[in-house]
Amino acid sequence: MIKYILKRLMYILLALFVIITATFFLMRFAPGSPFASERSFPPQIEKQLNAKYGLDNPWYIQYKDYLIDSASFDFGESMKYKMRSTNDMISEGFPISLTLGIEAMLLAVGLGILLGVISALYHNRFPDYLATTIAVVGISIPSFVLAGLLQYFVALKLGWFPISGWKGFIYSILPAFAIAMTHMGFIAKLTRSSMLEQNNSDYVKMARAKGIGKWTIVFRHTLRNALLPVVTYIGPLTAGVVTGSFIVEQIFAIPGLGKHFVTSISNRDYTVIMGTTVFYSIILLLAVFIVDILYGIIDPRIKLRGAKK
């Protein structure tokens, strides 16, 4: 286990190096500059700003400084907002995005597993058709479209929830549901397929022959084995929740990190773009790493290293 963890950590560091390098050169080759929209700036002022942020240095000097700053988690000062660093924006916005993301993940996993189990237990009957329809609808509708529909019908017409803002738990319900719906559909389909496979196995048939109830069989036997594909999906789920929250946060006017990321792209704020990209990459790589560890915990048959000859 220790060798496996160390090996995975080395892969994470290598992947981070590749992401940091790709982000730097993509931003360098992007057209325009952070101060291109400031038409009132005379050339002398723009030259001083380039010198302040090191944009007049050779590319290899900028790349070296960027690697050193990223290694020390110092992502620099924003080029658009005076006296605001990227680290401050991350520390302010990420707790909000994390709260929204955790709520969306709990909704996606909980509702997805519930629908998948019901669909498998009542195979080719009305509950199966209903659960499958909900899953397909969730997969088909993008999160930003669902966010607008929820705002119009549930918040504006019915008045059950606030339209936008972030002033309490009730403000997070609609955006979390908009983010979770697509992933809930995928998890429901995965759980249904895996449960149907487990229901035809010998140990389930033996449990039924002993007179054990179907829900007892689900919670004691089949569900744990059926969760392996769901655990596999947690890594992509984390990526989808993080990236899906960018637009949803904008729609619901949530002051999370996704809002800063989208705004920094339109403002060509290089330091914020690169800093948030590296930060999100770390979160996603750690999520995939945790999923790999959970594999061995859920199913002891899975070994973290190859069998010796």
Side-chain angles (χ1 to χ4, degrees):
M1 175 70 77
I2 295 177
K3 290 182 179 180
Y4 175 79
I5 292 176
L6 293 177
K7 185 178 180 180
R8 292 292 299 170
L9 289 175
M10 292 297 297
Y11 287 147
I12 289 175
L13 293 177
L14 179 61
L16 275 178
F17 174 77
V18 174
I19 292 172
I20 291 172
T21 303
T23 304
F24 173 81
F25 286 104
L26 285 174
M27 295 305 302
R28 179 175 175 81
F29 293 133
S33 70
F35 316 112
S37 61
E38 306 293 344
R39 298 178 181 178
S40 60
F41 279 2
Q44 295 83 0
I45 301 296
E46 187 171 347
K47 185 177 181 180
Q48 291 178 1
L49 289 172
N50 288 329
K52 176 182 177 181
Y53 292 103
L55 299 178
D56 57 347
N57 293 329
W59 69 269
Y60 51 87
I61 299 295
Q62 297 182 42
Y63 179 59
K64 174 185 69 70
D65 294 338
Y66 179 49
L67 285 178
I68 295 174
D69 292 340
S70 298
S72 59
F73 294 98
D74 181 10
F75 300 119
E77 185 178 347
S78 171
M79 296 181 179
K80 288 294 182 179
Y81 300 100
K82 294 181 180 180
M83 306 300 295
R84 293 204 67 187
S85 67
T86 305
N87 293 57
D88 293 336
M89 299 173 72
I90 291 175
S91 61
E92 292 174 5
F94 180 66
I96 298 175
S97 297
L98 180 63
T99 302
L100 182 61
I102 291 176
E103 187 174 341
M105 289 185 67
L106 291 176
L107 283 173
V109 175
L111 293 178
I113 292 176
L114 178 62
L115 287 178
V117 170
I118 293 175
S119 182
L121 288 179
Y122 299 94
H123 184 49
N124 288 334
R125 285 185 279 178
F126 176 74
D128 181 20
Y129 300 143
L130 179 61
T132 303
T133 302
I134 295 174
V136 172
V137 170
I139 295 172
S140 304
I141 302 178
S143 60
F144 59 89
V145 175
L146 182 60
L149 294 175
L150 290 174
Q151 276 187 324
Y152 182 75
F153 290 105
V154 180
L156 183 62
K157 292 295 185 179
L158 298 177
W160 292 350
F161 298 97
I163 296 178
S164 62
W166 188 264
K167 298 179 182 178
F169 172 75
I170 193 172
Y171 287 82
S172 67
I173 295 176
L174 288 185
F177 187 80
I179 297 172
M181 192 66 180
T182 299
H183 307 288
M184 180 271 295
F186 279 110
I187 292 175
K189 298 289 286 183
L190 287 173
T191 306
R192 178 182 183 274
S193 300
S194 185
M195 285 288 295
L196 289 176
E197 181 181 352
Q198 295 297 323
N199 287 340
N200 294 323
S201 58
D202 292 335
Y203 72 94
V204 173
K205 294 178 181 179
M206 178 65 69
R208 289 172 181 169
K210 292 180 179 179
I212 301 177
K214 60 181 179 180
W215 286 103
T216 304
I217 295 174
V218 168
F219 290 110
R220 287 188 179 181
H221 302 286
T222 59
L223 186 58
R224 179 174 180 177
N225 294 328
L227 283 180
L228 281 175
V230 178
V231 173
T232 307
Y233 186 70
I234 289 179
L237 170 63
T238 306
V241 166
V242 169
T243 56
S245 65
F246 291 171
I247 306 301
V248 174
E249 286 182 10
Q250 287 284 87
I251 294 174
F252 286 94
I254 297 174
L257 188 55
K259 181 180 179 181
H260 292 310
F261 184 77
V262 174
T263 305
S264 66
I265 294 176
S266 60
N267 290 336
R268 295 178 181 176
D269 197 343
Y270 290 172
T271 52
V272 178
I273 294 174
M274 294 189 291
T276 51
T277 300
V278 173
F279 181 77
Y280 273 128
S281 300
I282 295 173
I283 299 298
L284 299 181
L285 289 172
L286 288 178
V288 175
F289 172 71
I290 293 173
V291 168
D292 292 339
I293 300 298
L294 288 177
Y295 249 72
I297 296 176
I298 294 178
D299 192 350
R301 296 172 300 177
I302 298 177
K303 302 298 181 182
L304 298 179
R305 59 184 179 88
K308 295 182 179 180
K309 292 184 180 180

